[in-house]
Amino acid sequence: MAVNFNGKHLEKFISEYEYTALYPQVELAHKLLESKTGPGNDFLGWMNLPETYDKEEFARIKAAAEKIRNDSDVLLVAGIGGSYLGARAVIEACEGVYHNELANGPKIYFCGNSISPSALNDIIALTKGKRFSINVISKSGTTTETALAFRVLRKLLVDAVGEQEADSRIYATTDRAKGTLKQLADSRGWPTFVVPDDVGGRYSVLTAVGLLPIAVAGIDIDKLMQGAADGMKLFGECSMENPAYKYAMTRTILYRKGKKVETLACFEPDFAMMSEWFKQLYGESEGKDQKGLMPTSCIFSTDLHSMGQYLQDGSRIMFETFVDVKQPAKDLYLEELEGNFDGLNFLSGQNMSVVNRKAMEGTILAHTDGGVPVGLIEVDALDAYNMGLLIYFFWKGCAVSGYMLGVNPFDQPGVESYKKNMFALMGKPGYEGMKAELEAKLK
Amino acid sequence: MAVNFNGKHLEKFISEYEYTALYPQVELAHKLLESKTGPGNDFLGWMNLPETYDKEEFARIKAAAEKIRNDSDVLLVAGIGGSYLGARAVIEACEGVYHNELANGPKIYFCGNSISPSALNDIIALTKGKRFSINVISKSGTTTETALAFRVLRKLLVDAVGEQEADSRIYATTDRAKGTLKQLADSRGWPTFVVPDDVGGRYSVLTAVGLLPIAVAGIDIDKLMQGAADGMKLFGECSMENPAYKYAMTRTILYRKGKKVETLACFEPDFAMMSEWFKQLYGESEGKDQKGLMPTSCIFSTDLHSMGQYLQDGSRIMFETFVDVKQPAKDLYLEELEGNFDGLNFLSGQNMSVVNRKAMEGTILAHTDGGVPVGLIEVDALDAYNMGLLIYFFWKGCAVSGYMLGVNPFDQPGVESYKKNMFALMGKPGYEGMKAELEAKLK
């Protein structure tokens, strides 16, 4: 199996009967999902997406990516949250964190995901003297961070190449029919791609939202979708052995025993953004009604030299989920060193990946000895096919976890709170009533 | 004041008398520090470092940096933990996350901080056709991650430019007198810089460990040290008003009320690595004896669209510390948009930094309404002088926090656990006894 959940190091923390006792709740959650009768059931488009996705649009995405690869040195991807994390995560997992410096094809910069003028000025500087295109991603077109950046970057493009050429270099991923961005795109003749109504932002990586930037990075999106389609089957059956459900049960059991934090850890630095994507998926799905595990992440062994002390011996509030990547993208043979100055010749004569694996095993044993439950998500490699599988694994695990927790795993009402305050403080028309009240609180 | 702690949004979470009641413990911690009689008192070299640092070495660091800037396209910095995070944090805060693509001067890549062969292969690829130098940082010279990378990269350099030229391009930051790296460096004639005996890794950013890479990035290390020296005074007095002590008290009070997690948040993406540095400093100092706050971090508003839901309405286990940067590195004036397609013209006619600030204020009000205490660390700007101040602020706050928690804030015994297991599993001479036992556990 290309993605599996391995619970062998959990034995001293969770008894087998705990899984058996919890399993009926999994069945219930599974039924709610399959029958589409649970909370948030208008956002279940992700479930069959790997089979039912729009093939015509998929072909258009590939064609657009090819055009961008041919006519652009730089692609600016403007989007925030789910319109940012999924694409970046898959690109870095498959192509590495240095893909912009090492890969052929356009450099891909993500922007429109903050309101920092320093960040936006850097993006502007990065386009200097370059042929660039823009993929703006926003269902409504009015997402503050993205729309502000897009205003500025579109003007930059028009100033550089003229209005007509600019119109051929802007790609809008937005609502199918309504919204200001769709309207503007149609009036300008920009190619548009769809953010489906029944797929929430954090589940959107396998729609045009994620697929266009991923394809521009030169990643095989057919393989990505094939992985997800195989994931639909692998993680589709309701059984104790379904790896996604085993994972959902594990985290639910540990949460109910008092663990407050889940730390997703991986020994491959290229996985860092996948962990950020995971944090949105789980944090936004479960963090509501004053409940839910707090998702955090580490890259090991790097962070064993920063968070390692805490994980080993700090407050016992967390468990860890290790993403165990079986094959590195590129291995490296360790040669004998003449003189053995660093005393590490006992490691030579083998591949570095073997040493990395021993470090992982040593960490598992150290942390479990320290009282931290460790579960393993095993994945063959960080490539397009396996990322498709892994994405579906996390989706399914999250939906079932959320239903077991008793929340609507598909809404995010809390995200609006800061926005409302921000709009009021900024003087947005319609928010006048709140403004004075909030300003008084800030005194 | 260029760095301050502002507790105005904490009023509904902490009463003034709680600070008064806790203050005697601050006095005690302060005395332990000043008299150097507390636990870990052989690691207090950081306290006077901004005044007592080795001026001769400082001049050598500047000269070496100048040489590297003149003769190298790339500097590889091999180090892990404190020998990695501080330098990268200051460089990205001052020069931006895109410094390698935007700044003049050598590109700086950090390596030797993981055992991933994919990561090391990428570093090798990044040196291709480039004139590069290496700064290897390890007190002992036997740190696995760093030593393994250094073996490979040194050979790469020798193969590229020959042994003699390679010897003029390797800079070793290591023990003053002993250890394998010092020995090798002396035998090869490499310039060496000192990791002082009385400064722990997580306090080492203002020694040669951090200063050489920071200077190579073109950052004014005189200003950095001046900031820290001013910090020594600003945060030196024992008083209720000392900002570092106010911060230490705040987090101690909230921890004792049941908060388990501190989230350091900043609205500037360039601060992300400073947060990683903070996580090591606080996590490694306090996370022991099954105690301590778990440090986490966010970049806003980016992560308001991922972790925002959880922070607003998930389990109420955290408080937040916002790093409030008063002046952005580069501002951007928002122009009116003809047609107002995105409905954001109410934001135009002002600088983007004003909007970013409203977003911060809106977030503070939303999160405090949601039951999350928010403290503010105010800092004038992300520049060398202010990073010096901020570093000293965090150091002092951490030492006092740690003593109030009742731990030795200057050791990290838990970091050894995974290493011992790793060595045993790898078959390191001397660990034979453990090997079979651990392997049995892995079955």
Side-chain angles (χ1 to χ4, degrees):
Chain A
M1 199 178 282
V3 166
N4 196 20
F5 184 79
N6 183 334
K8 70 177 175 180
H9 298 293
L10 289 163
E11 281 171 16
K12 76 181 217 200
F13 301 98
I14 305 177
S15 309
E16 200 49 42
Y17 85 87
E18 295 182 79
Y19 287 102
T20 317
L22 184 63
Y23 184 65
Q25 294 182 31
V26 170
E27 289 181 302
L28 198 63
H30 179 87
K31 264 185 215 147
L32 286 175
L33 273 179
E34 293 293 324
S35 63
K36 301 190 191 303
T37 53
N41 55 19
D42 41 349
F43 280 98
L44 295 177
W46 57 271
M47 285 186 67
N48 297 307
L49 189 70
E51 284 179 353
T52 62
Y53 67 92
D54 182 340
K55 311 297 185 298
E56 181 274 331
E57 183 185 58
F58 196 78
R60 284 201 301 118
I61 289 170
K62 287 202 251 185
E66 201 47 40
K67 176 176 179 298
I68 294 167
R69 286 178 67 83
N70 286 323
D71 72 7
S72 305
D73 307 312
V74 165
L75 173 68
L76 302 179
V77 181
I80 191 167
S83 302
Y84 157 55
L85 291 167
R88 185 167 170 189
V90 171
I91 291 171
E92 294 195 2
C94 298
E95 299 290 308
V97 293
Y98 292 108
H99 64 93
N100 275 345
E101 293 177 74
L102 292 175
N104 295 322
K107 294 177 196 291
I108 299 172
Y109 299 111
F110 292 90
C111 56
N113 56 51
S114 83
I115 316 177
S116 161
S118 300
L120 188 51
N121 272 304
D122 274 0
I123 294 293
I124 292 168
L126 288 165
T127 65
K128 208 173 169 185
K130 302 280 168 57
R131 300 171 308 156
F132 69 100
S133 297
I134 304 172
N135 179 203
V136 54
I137 310 173
S138 169
K139 192 158 174 70
S140 66
T142 60
T143 310
T144 311
E145 290 83 350
T146 304
L148 272 184
F150 180 58
R151 276 183 168 210
V152 172
L153 298 171
R154 182 187 167 202
K155 183 168 184 302
L156 189 76
L157 185 59
V158 170
D159 290 350
V161 299
E163 210 157 62
Q164 199 181 338
E165 176 65 14
D167 283 337
S168 79
R169 294 178 166 275
I170 297 175
Y171 303 80
T173 307
T174 185
D175 191 86
R176 184 183 307 276
K178 60 185 192 305
T180 57
L181 181 56
K182 174 63 179 166
Q183 209 177 333
L184 180 62
D186 285 347
S187 79
R188 303 297 317 178
W190 304 335
T192 62
F193 301 95
V194 174
V195 183
D197 287 328
D198 57 354
V199 178
R202 58 190 177 273
Y203 278 83
S204 69
V205 56
L206 300 184
T207 70
V209 168
L211 292 174
L212 180 56
I214 291 168
V216 172
I219 293 165
D220 187 335
I221 58 174
D222 285 296
K223 286 191 182 153
L224 183 66
M225 294 304 279
Q226 186 59 51
D230 288 354
M232 265 183 75
K233 296 189 193 79
L234 266 176
F235 316 123
E237 295 289 305
C238 193
S239 89
M240 289 278 286
E241 278 62 52
N242 180 328
Y245 291 1
K246 190 96 189 187
Y247 171 55
M249 282 192 281
T250 299
R251 57 200 308 286
T252 299
I253 291 167
L254 293 170
Y255 176 67
R256 292 182 186 174
K257 284 190 193 209
K259 295 298 180 189
K260 303 289 187 192
V261 174
E262 174 173 10
T263 299
L264 192 74
C266 185
F267 281 71
E268 288 296 343
D270 291 340
F271 197 78
M273 286 303 299
M274 281 295 297
S275 293
E276 293 299 313
W277 172 84
F278 159 87
K279 282 159 69 175
Q280 179 188 14
L281 180 61
Y282 280 76
E284 215 166 65
S285 299
E286 295 196 316
K288 47 197 67 160
D289 313 324
Q290 298 86 57
K291 289 191 287 198
L293 282 161
M294 184 167 186
T296 67
S297 65
C298 280
I299 290 297
F300 291 156
S301 63
T302 312
D303 295 338
L304 290 172
H305 292 246
S306 61
M307 288 299 294
Q309 170 65 40
Y310 191 94
L311 293 166
Q312 186 66 48
D313 200 26
S315 301
R316 305 292 72 188
I317 59 173
M318 85 294 283
F319 68 93
E320 292 177 304
T321 303
F322 281 26
V323 177
D324 172 6
V325 183
K326 299 293 181 186
Q327 285 295 326
K330 288 157 275 186
D331 217 329
L332 196 148
Y333 184 78
L334 296 169
E335 293 169 17
E336 193 96 348
L337 179 69
E338 208 189 305
N340 195 21
F341 299 105
D342 53 17
L344 294 181
N345 269 352
F346 71 96
L347 296 177
S348 58
Q350 62 188 345
N351 281 335
M352 194 169 176
S353 64
V354 178
V355 183
N356 204 21
R357 174 155 302 278
K358 299 286 180 206
M360 187 186 79
E361 290 170 348
T363 307
I364 292 169
L365 295 179
H367 288 188
T368 50
D369 277 351
V372 181
V374 178
L376 299 179
I377 297 172
E378 299 174 324
V379 52
D380 279 350
L382 299 185
D383 60 20
Y385 175 79
N386 282 287
M387 290 308 97
L389 266 175
L390 192 60
I391 285 165
Y392 205 91
F393 170 88
F394 278 125
W395 281 352
K396 202 68 188 292
C398 187
V400 167
S401 266
Y403 278 155
M404 286 200 284
L405 183 61
V407 298
N408 175 351
F410 305 108
D411 68 358
Q412 56 284 332
V415 179
E416 298 308 311
S417 308
Y418 97 93
K419 290 190 202 171
K420 273 188 221 149
N421 287 350
M422 176 174 75
F423 290 146
L425 291 168
M426 286 167 180
K428 183 172 181 174
Y431 289 79
E432 293 80 0
M434 283 173 73
K435 190 165 190 273
E437 185 197 333
L438 294 181
E439 282 174 347
K441 284 192 188 177
L442 287 168
K443 288 284 175 246
Chain B
M1 198 176 282
V3 166
N4 196 20
F5 184 79
N6 184 333
K8 70 177 175 179
H9 297 293
L10 290 164
E11 281 172 18
K12 75 181 216 201
F13 302 98
I14 305 177
S15 309
E16 199 49 42
Y17 87 85
E18 293 181 79
Y19 286 103
T20 319
L22 184 63
Y23 184 65
Q25 295 182 30
V26 170
E27 290 181 304
L28 199 62
H30 178 87
K31 264 184 217 149
L32 286 176
L33 274 178
E34 292 293 322
S35 62
K36 301 190 193 300
T37 52
N41 54 18
D42 42 347
F43 281 98
L44 295 177
W46 59 271
M47 285 187 69
N48 297 307
L49 188 70
E51 283 179 354
T52 60
Y53 67 92
D54 182 339
K55 311 297 183 300
E56 181 274 329
E57 183 185 57
F58 196 79
R60 285 200 301 117
I61 289 169
K62 287 203 251 185
E66 201 47 41
K67 175 174 180 299
I68 294 166
R69 286 177 67 82
N70 286 324
D71 73 7
S72 305
D73 307 312
V74 164
L75 173 67
L76 302 180
V77 180
I80 191 166
S83 301
Y84 157 55
L85 290 166
R88 183 166 172 190
V90 171
I91 291 170
E92 294 196 1
C94 296
E95 299 291 307
V97 293
Y98 292 108
H99 65 94
N100 275 345
E101 293 176 73
L102 292 175
N104 295 322
K107 293 177 198 289
I108 299 172
Y109 299 111
F110 294 90
C111 56
N113 56 50
S114 83
I115 316 177
S116 160
S118 300
L120 188 52
N121 273 303
D122 274 1
I123 295 294
I124 292 168
L126 288 165
T127 65
K128 208 174 169 186
K130 301 280 168 57
R131 299 171 307 156
F132 70 100
S133 297
I134 303 173
N135 179 201
V136 55
I137 310 173
S138 170
K139 193 160 175 68
S140 65
T142 60
T143 310
T144 311
E145 289 84 349
T146 304
L148 272 184
F150 181 58
R151 278 182 167 212
V152 173
L153 298 171
R154 183 187 167 205
K155 181 166 186 303
L156 191 74
L157 184 58
V158 169
D159 289 350
V161 299
E163 211 157 62
Q164 198 182 338
E165 178 64 15
D167 282 338
S168 78
R169 294 178 165 274
I170 296 175
Y171 303 81
T173 306
T174 184
D175 191 84
R176 183 182 308 275
K178 60 185 192 304
T180 57
L181 182 56
K182 174 63 178 167
Q183 210 178 332
L184 180 62
D186 285 348
S187 79
R188 303 296 318 176
W190 304 335
T192 62
F193 302 95
V194 174
V195 183
D197 287 328
D198 58 354
V199 177
R202 58 189 177 272
Y203 279 82
S204 69
V205 56
L206 300 185
T207 70
V209 169
L211 291 174
L212 180 55
I214 291 168
V216 172
I219 293 165
D220 187 335
I221 59 173
D222 286 296
K223 286 192 181 153
L224 182 67
M225 294 305 281
Q226 187 57 51
D230 288 354
M232 264 183 76
K233 296 189 192 76
L234 267 175
F235 316 124
E237 296 288 305
C238 193
S239 90
M240 289 277 287
E241 277 64 50
N242 180 328
Y245 292 0
K246 190 97 189 186
Y247 171 57
M249 283 193 280
T250 299
R251 57 200 307 287
T252 300
I253 290 167
L254 292 170
Y255 176 67
R256 293 182 185 175
K257 284 189 193 211
K259 295 298 180 188
K260 304 288 186 193
V261 174
E262 174 173 10
T263 299
L264 192 74
C266 184
F267 281 71
E268 288 295 344
D270 291 340
F271 197 78
M273 285 304 298
M274 281 294 297
S275 294
E276 292 300 313
W277 172 84
F278 158 87
K279 281 159 70 175
Q280 180 189 12
L281 180 60
Y282 280 77
E284 215 167 66
S285 298
E286 295 196 318
K288 46 197 68 158
D289 312 324
Q290 298 85 58
K291 288 191 288 199
L293 283 160
M294 184 168 186
T296 66
S297 65
C298 280
I299 291 297
F300 291 157
S301 61
T302 312
D303 294 339
L304 290 172
H305 292 247
S306 61
M307 287 299 294
Q309 169 66 40
Y310 191 93
L311 294 165
Q312 186 66 48
D313 199 24
S315 301
R316 305 292 72 188
I317 59 173
M318 85 295 284
F319 67 93
E320 291 177 304
T321 302
F322 281 26
V323 177
D324 172 5
V325 183
K326 299 293 183 187
Q327 286 294 327
K330 288 156 276 188
D331 217 330
L332 196 148
Y333 183 78
L334 296 169
E335 294 171 16
E336 192 98 346
L337 178 69
E338 209 188 306
N340 193 23
F341 299 104
D342 53 18
L344 294 181
N345 269 352
F346 72 96
L347 296 177
S348 59
Q350 63 189 344
N351 281 334
M352 195 168 175
S353 63
V354 179
V355 183
N356 205 20
R357 174 155 301 278
K358 299 286 180 205
M360 188 186 78
E361 291 171 348
T363 307
I364 291 169
L365 296 178
H367 288 189
T368 51
D369 277 351
V372 181
V374 178
L376 299 180
I377 296 173
E378 298 173 325
V379 52
D380 280 350
L382 299 185
D383 59 21
Y385 175 78
N386 282 288
M387 289 308 96
L389 268 174
L390 191 60
I391 285 165
Y392 205 91
F393 170 88
F394 277 125
W395 280 352
K396 203 68 188 292
C398 187
V400 167
S401 266
Y403 278 155
M404 287 199 283
L405 182 62
V407 298
N408 176 351
F410 305 110
D411 68 356
Q412 55 284 331
V415 178
E416 298 308 312
S417 308
Y418 97 92
K419 290 189 202 171
K420 272 187 225 152
N421 288 351
M422 177 174 75
F423 289 146
L425 290 169
M426 287 167 180
K428 184 172 181 175
Y431 288 80
E432 293 80 1
M434 283 173 73
K435 190 165 190 271
E437 185 196 335
L438 294 180
E439 283 175 346
K441 284 193 188 177
L442 287 168
K443 289 285 174 246

